[in-house]
Amino acid sequence: MKQTQTDWEAAYQRGETPWEKGRAHPGLVDFLAKNGPLGGEIFVPGCGSGFDARTLSTPSNHVIGIDLAPFAIAKANSFPKVGHEEYFLADLFALPEEFTGRFDWVFEHTCFCAIEPTGRAQYVETVVRLLKPGGKLIAIFFINPDHDEDGPPYGVSQAELEERFGRHFSLEREWVPARTHPGREGRELMRILNLGGRAAPAIVRADS
């Protein structure tokens, strides 16, 4: 069943949010610890309470997170600022024109797997629109043929990832995160994709 803004808001109001783990994804934490912070403009769709967005944020970059649920955005804004992160109530498929070509990075975690598969083509088109030429998508995809009650609603195969994203992106790197949330071990795939295969913004340290 297609979930609406009201569905997401109601879930937050009831506290029925198994996707909210109270911390950033361990795979993202490990990636940043090894490679350093991301620089430039960073977009986080379906940011929820903002744990991943705050982990990405530094005083030297700018992170924008969006979500459909007012409760989630209010909660994200209740935390102390790490850097210049901002949170907005917004629909990924109805973003303002000024977001077009603005971002160096899009970070995907829990949004792609939450929308109905019929919306995936539009998701990819939106990410392409948001990124600057040569921008990058860093993503944690849920690869899971056997869903459980606490897992994301929709998994995805590697073949589908290739088919959908390969039209616009080249694959820089992929790996199974060594650390993840309990119960998801070996069921996720992290990928870095380069828009158009052109030179992309470097992973930079916040003080550089």
Side-chain angles (χ1 to χ4, degrees):
M1 181 178 70
K2 184 176 182 179
Q3 291 188 301
T4 66
Q5 178 174 345
T6 303
D7 294 323
W8 294 113
E9 177 65 8
Y12 273 100
Q13 294 283 354
R14 294 190 302 266
E16 297 174 359
T17 55
W19 59 89
E20 289 273 9
K21 303 299 184 183
R23 59 177 177 145
H25 192 288
L28 174 63
V29 174
D30 292 346
F31 174 82
L32 296 174
K34 181 177 180 180
N35 297 282
L38 305 186
E41 296 273 343
I42 305 165
F43 182 79
V44 182
C47 66
S49 299
F51 293 102
D52 291 332
R54 283 186 294 279
T55 296
L56 287 162
S57 183
T58 76
S60 299
N61 64 21
H62 183 214
V63 179
I64 290 180
I66 67 158
D67 204 280
L68 281 171
F71 188 99
I73 295 299
K75 186 175 179 182
N77 278 315
S78 72
F79 288 90
K81 293 285 187 182
V82 175
H84 307 291
E85 69 270 22
E86 296 182 275
Y87 306 102
F88 298 101
L89 184 67
D91 183 340
L92 178 64
F93 300 143
L95 293 172
E97 185 61 31
E98 57 262 32
F99 278 19
T100 298
R102 172 174 175 174
F103 296 95
D104 299 288
W105 300 86
V106 171
F107 175 69
E108 159 58 38
H109 172 222
T110 74
C111 185
F112 184 84
C113 64
I115 61 176
E116 288 195 354
T118 54
R120 287 177 172 175
Q122 189 176 4
Y123 175 98
V124 175
E125 292 170 2
T126 299
V127 170
V128 169
R129 178 172 77 84
L130 294 175
L131 284 169
K132 296 176 180 178
K136 293 189 180 187
L137 169 66
I138 177 169
I140 302 173
F141 291 113
F142 191 66
I143 310 292
N144 178 29
D146 299 309
H147 299 300
D148 56 52
E149 292 184 0
D150 291 332
Y154 305 109
V156 65
S157 68
Q158 288 182 261
E160 183 179 354
L161 291 178
E162 293 291 349
E163 192 276 331
R164 292 196 180 277
F165 290 92
R167 301 175 185 180
H168 305 280
F169 294 88
S170 63
L171 178 63
E172 178 179 313
R173 181 186 170 196
E174 70 175 23
W175 69 100
V176 175
R179 294 194 309 131
T180 185
H181 297 302
R184 298 193 182 178
E185 294 85 355
R187 304 168 80 185
E188 295 167 315
L189 186 67
M190 291 190 69
R191 281 188 157 200
I192 300 177
L193 300 171
N194 299 331
L195 181 61
R198 291 164 285 185
I203 298 171
V204 298
R205 299 195 176 278
D207 56 359
S208 65

